[in-house]
């Protein structure tokens, strides 16, 4: 019998005894056993603790022993299956719907699944449980091949437990996350997407997640118990969880990454995800870097951050879909609006409404034109800034060339510590363009943000 046949038979036995199929870790234990691997090796490959693998293995051998009527252990599993040649022949019979008997256990591939109604959350090995909740419908997707490949490598090959997808509003974080699901969904048993746009407490988020795994079980009120149960599910099942709009958990008018009062325990949640052994992955999307992600990334190589930038050449497809004219000018338009999909779509609407779709006429103006809809989008992000951050942005908007910190420290009437904290916070909010020149870091604003500052802020007043 080859490995696939043994897994198929084991899955049938487990299903008849428990009403559930083999999960990711159980399959890994069986594969590892058939390859002669020790528990520590199986634990290493599944990114689980050796103790947890031993516990799951012990329960699995007990289920199989009851099903086959023989005492099965890790040591004799292969020998018993190889000796029992009848099992292999009976699988073929089971496939065509015949009922067969293995000792005292009846197995029928078709009937065993139809006689017992499956709960909605139960999935076949090739069909994960996908719960996208309030995820937006994606009507178009423009090339992000490099980013998708990077994410797939981090998740499937490097077994990253926490990934932060970061980028300014409209850059395509949500779209990329949902596209990623399509690409790697068959590697997971559970895939869950949730937006935090309405700033739910951690208790609310955990309750929502736990109900997906156990819809008929009462959720505990104690947050420590909720966290423990969720981690246990992440160990038992290979899960991909995406939390979108994480920036809504942070306070406005304070430096980046500071949680609102009552939301500080999200810090513990993210910390547990990275430090406790399990086989799942959490992706968080945000306008600004969560501070603990920055800190934990320095300590742990199973945490990754993907800074999402503009589309570049691929953005031409947006303009093509928008049916704009003057293709020779498209690259200039893309560069001015940073290849940001949302910025380009909103600007395309303006070009169609006022310039009959002619990009050349739109670009002839000396001033970069921002539609009111685009500026309203940016308002959402700028309303979160401190007065010191806005002051720094106003000064940067006046500069014609990138500047170094030493230049700013001499020029601005702002205490050095406040300036440095404001600059660091703006960097965490992804609002600064940064480049290195002769080992000196230079700062500037992209053209859209610079024009937005000029349009919205006419006075440099610190309250």
């Amino acid at each position: 019998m080859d490995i696939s046949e043994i897994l198929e038979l084991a899955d049938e036995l487990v299903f008849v005894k428990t009403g559930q199929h083999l999960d990711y870790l159980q399959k890994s234990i069986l594969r590892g056993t058939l390859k002669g691997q020790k528990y520590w090796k199986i634990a290493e490959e599944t990114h689980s603790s050796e103790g947890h693998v031993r516990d799951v293995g012990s329960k699995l051998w007990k289920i199989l022993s009851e099903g086959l009527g023989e005492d099965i252990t890790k040591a004799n599993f292969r020998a018993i299956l190889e000796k029992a040649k009848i099992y292999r022949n009976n699988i073929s019979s089971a496939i065509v719907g015949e009922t067969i008997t293995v000792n005292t256990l009846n197995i029928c591939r078709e009937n065993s699944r139809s006689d017992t109604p499956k709960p909605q959350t139960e999935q076949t090995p090739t069909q994960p449980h996908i719960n996208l909740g309030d995820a937006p419908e994606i009507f178009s997707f423009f090339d992000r091949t490099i980013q998708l490949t990077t994410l797939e490598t981090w998740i499937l090959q490097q077994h990253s437990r926490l990934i932060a997808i970061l980028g300014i509003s409209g850059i395509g974080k949500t779209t990329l996350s949902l596209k990623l699901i399509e690409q790697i969904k068959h590697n997971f048993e559970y895939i869950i997407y949730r937006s935090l746009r309405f700033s739910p407490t951690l208790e609310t988020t955990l309750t929502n997640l736990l109900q997906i795994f156990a819809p008929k079980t009462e959720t505990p009120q104690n947050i420590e118990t909720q966290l423990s149960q969720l981690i246990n599910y992440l160990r038992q099942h290979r899960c991909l969880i995406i939390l979108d709009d994480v920036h809504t958990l942070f306070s406005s008018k304070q430096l980046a990454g500071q949680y609102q009062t009552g939301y500080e325990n999200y810090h513990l949640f993210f910390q547990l995800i990275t430090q406790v052994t399990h086989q799942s992955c959490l992706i968080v999307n945000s306008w600004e870097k969560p501070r603990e992600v920055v800190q934990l990334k320095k300590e742990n190589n199973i945490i990754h951050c993907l800074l999402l930038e503009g589309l570049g050449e691929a953005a031409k497809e947006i303009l093509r879909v928008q049916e704009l004219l003057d293709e020779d000018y498209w690259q200039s338009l893309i560069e001015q609006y940073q290849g940001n999909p949302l910025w380009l779509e909103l600007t395309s609407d303006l070009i169609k409404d006022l310039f009959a779709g002619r990009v050349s006429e739109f670009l002839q103006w000396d001033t970069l034109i921002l539609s009111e809809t685009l500026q309203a989008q940016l308002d959402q992000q700028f309303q979160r800034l401190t007065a010191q951050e806005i002051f720094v942005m106003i000064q940067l908007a006046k500069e014609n060339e990138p500047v170094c910190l030493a230049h700013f420290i001499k020029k601005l009437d702002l205490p050095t510590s406040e300036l440095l904290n404001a600059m660091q916070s703006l960097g965490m909010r992804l609002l600064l363009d940064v480049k290195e020149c002769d080992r000196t870091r230079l700062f500037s604003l992209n053209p859209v943000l610079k024009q937005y500052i000029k349009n919205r802020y006419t006075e440099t007043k610190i309250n």
Side-chain angles (χ1 to χ4, degrees):
M1 298 177 67
D2 60 27
I3 291 179
S4 62
E5 288 178 309
I6 293 175
L7 288 177
E8 187 174 11
L9 176 57
D11 184 67
E12 292 290 340
L13 293 170
V14 170
F15 182 84
V16 172
K17 293 296 292 183
T18 68
Q20 296 180 342
H21 293 288
L22 290 171
D23 62 28
Y24 172 84
L25 185 54
Q26 289 172 324
K27 290 179 183 178
S28 298
I29 290 172
L30 293 181
R31 289 193 187 96
T33 298
L34 294 171
K35 294 176 182 178
Q37 293 179 338
K38 302 292 185 182
Y39 276 132
W40 68 264
K41 181 63 176 176
I42 298 173
E44 181 182 86
E45 291 185 351
T46 59
H47 289 263
S48 302
S49 68
E50 183 177 350
H52 181 59
V53 171
R54 286 184 180 277
D55 291 342
V56 173
S58 177
K59 294 176 182 177
L60 180 58
W61 306 134
K62 183 178 180 181
I63 294 171
L64 293 176
S65 296
E66 293 173 354
L68 292 174
E70 295 192 49
D71 186 19
I72 294 181
T73 66
K74 186 175 185 296
N76 66 15
F77 174 64
R78 174 185 283 276
I80 290 179
L81 268 285
E82 290 294 342
K83 181 178 64 175
K85 299 294 184 181
I86 186 174
Y87 299 154
R88 185 184 186 197
N89 296 330
N90 284 343
I91 287 179
S92 298
S93 299
I95 291 176
V96 296
E98 299 175 19
T99 302
I100 61 175
T101 300
V102 179
N103 290 338
T104 59
L105 178 66
N106 289 330
I107 300 177
C108 175
R109 171 179 292 274
E110 300 300 328
N111 294 339
S112 64
R113 288 190 171 94
S114 60
D115 292 344
T116 304
K118 289 191 289 185
Q120 189 173 3
T121 57
E122 185 177 307
Q123 303 296 311
T124 68
T126 57
Q127 183 183 354
H129 180 107
I130 300 179
N131 188 315
L132 301 185
D134 52 354
E137 185 175 0
I138 302 301
F139 295 101
S140 59
F141 179 78
F142 305 102
D143 185 40
R144 290 284 193 185
T145 302
I146 294 176
Q147 291 81 5
L148 286 171
T149 300
T150 297
L151 290 170
E152 184 174 349
T153 299
W154 287 346
I155 296 171
L156 301 183
Q157 297 181 24
Q158 299 182 18
H159 302 281
S160 180
R161 294 177 191 164
L162 177 63
I163 295 173
I165 301 179
L166 307 171
I168 196 168
S169 176
I171 203 67
K173 301 179 293 297
T174 301
T175 302
L176 179 65
S177 301
L178 296 176
K179 187 66 176 180
L180 176 68
I181 290 175
E182 296 179 14
Q183 189 162 307
I184 64 175
K185 61 184 178 182
H186 293 299
N187 294 278
F188 294 90
E189 297 172 71
Y190 285 84
I191 296 177
I192 303 167
Y193 169 96
R194 286 294 181 271
S195 170
L196 306 184
R197 67 172 65 91
F198 297 116
S199 306
T201 63
L202 180 59
E203 291 86 346
T204 300
T205 298
L206 291 176
T207 297
N208 189 292
L209 294 176
L210 290 173
Q211 288 175 348
I212 294 173
F213 293 103
K216 297 182 180 180
T217 303
E218 184 176 352
T219 304
Q221 299 300 312
N222 182 280
I223 192 169
E224 289 82 4
T225 305
Q226 290 179 335
L227 284 169
S228 178
Q229 285 191 0
L230 180 61
I231 292 296
N232 191 42
Y233 285 126
L234 299 185
R235 285 172 172 160
Q236 293 177 10
H237 307 284
R238 184 112 163 95
C239 309
L240 176 65
I241 299 176
I242 298 171
L243 296 183
D244 209 349
D245 303 306
V246 170
H247 50 267
T248 63
L249 304 176
F250 305 133
S251 296
S252 295
K253 308 300 183 182
Q254 293 189 31
L255 296 176
Q258 297 188 35
Y259 286 101
Q260 299 180 55
T261 302
Y263 292 83
E264 298 88 350
N265 48 20
Y266 271 97
H267 169 78
L268 173 62
F269 175 49
F270 294 142
Q271 190 174 46
L272 281 174
I273 288 293
T274 62
Q275 295 179 346
V276 176
T277 302
H278 59 83
Q279 56 179 328
S280 301
C281 179
L282 171 67
I283 294 178
V284 296
N285 297 338
S286 180
W287 291 351
E288 58 190 69
K289 297 179 183 179
R291 293 190 175 197
E292 60 272 45
V293 171
V294 176
Q295 182 60 39
L296 291 169
K297 187 176 184 298
K298 299 176 182 177
E299 305 170 356
N300 199 323
N301 60 5
I302 57 175
I303 301 173
H304 293 93
C305 291
L306 177 65
L307 179 58
L308 204 57
E309 298 179 338
L311 286 171
E313 185 74 16
K316 289 184 177 180
E317 186 60 28
I318 296 177
L319 308 185
R320 189 169 289 108
V321 170
Q322 293 286 338
E323 299 181 340
L324 297 188
L325 305 176
D326 305 327
E327 188 168 346
D328 291 343
Y329 292 86
W330 285 5
Q331 188 60 40
S332 296
L333 185 68
I334 291 169
E335 290 174 359
Q336 288 191 16
Y337 292 87
Q338 304 297 293
N340 184 303
L342 180 61
W343 295 357
L344 285 170
E345 288 177 0
L346 296 177
T347 303
S348 294
D349 290 338
L350 182 65
I351 295 173
K352 289 191 295 183
D353 290 344
L354 301 182
F355 298 91
R358 303 205 65 85
V359 176
S360 59
E361 292 184 15
F362 176 77
L363 292 177
Q364 71 181 349
W365 303 96
D366 295 333
T367 301
L368 190 67
I369 301 174
L370 307 183
S371 71
E372 186 57 33
T373 307
L374 195 162
Q375 292 188 103
Q377 287 288 330
L378 291 173
D379 286 342
Q380 297 177 34
Q381 193 154 3
F382 275 77
Q383 287 167 1
R384 305 177 63 84
L385 273 58
T386 65
Q388 289 77 14
E389 288 177 295
I390 292 175
F391 178 72
V392 170
M393 293 284 282
I394 292 172
Q395 301 308 313
L396 279 172
K398 296 177 180 178
E399 300 289 340
N400 294 321
E401 299 291 337
V403 298
C404 64
L405 277 176
H407 170 84
F408 253 18
I409 290 174
K410 293 178 181 178
K411 183 175 181 178
L412 300 188
D413 183 21
L414 199 65
T416 301
S417 61
E418 290 189 19
L419 171 61
L420 296 181
N421 285 330
M423 291 290 288
Q424 184 181 41
S425 182
L426 289 170
M428 292 179 65
R429 298 186 199 275
L430 313 173
L431 295 176
L432 299 180
D433 282 2
V434 184
K435 68 177 183 178
E436 299 283 345
C437 182
D438 296 330
R439 297 186 179 182
T440 299
R441 187 154 290 185
L442 303 177
F443 302 90
S444 61
L445 301 182
N446 71 52
V448 172
L449 296 184
K450 183 177 288 190
Q451 189 62 50
Y452 170 83
I453 290 292
K454 292 177 179 179
N455 292 351
R456 284 291 200 247
Y457 300 93
T458 58
E459 297 181 2
T460 61
K461 182 178 180 181
I462 297 292
N463 295 322

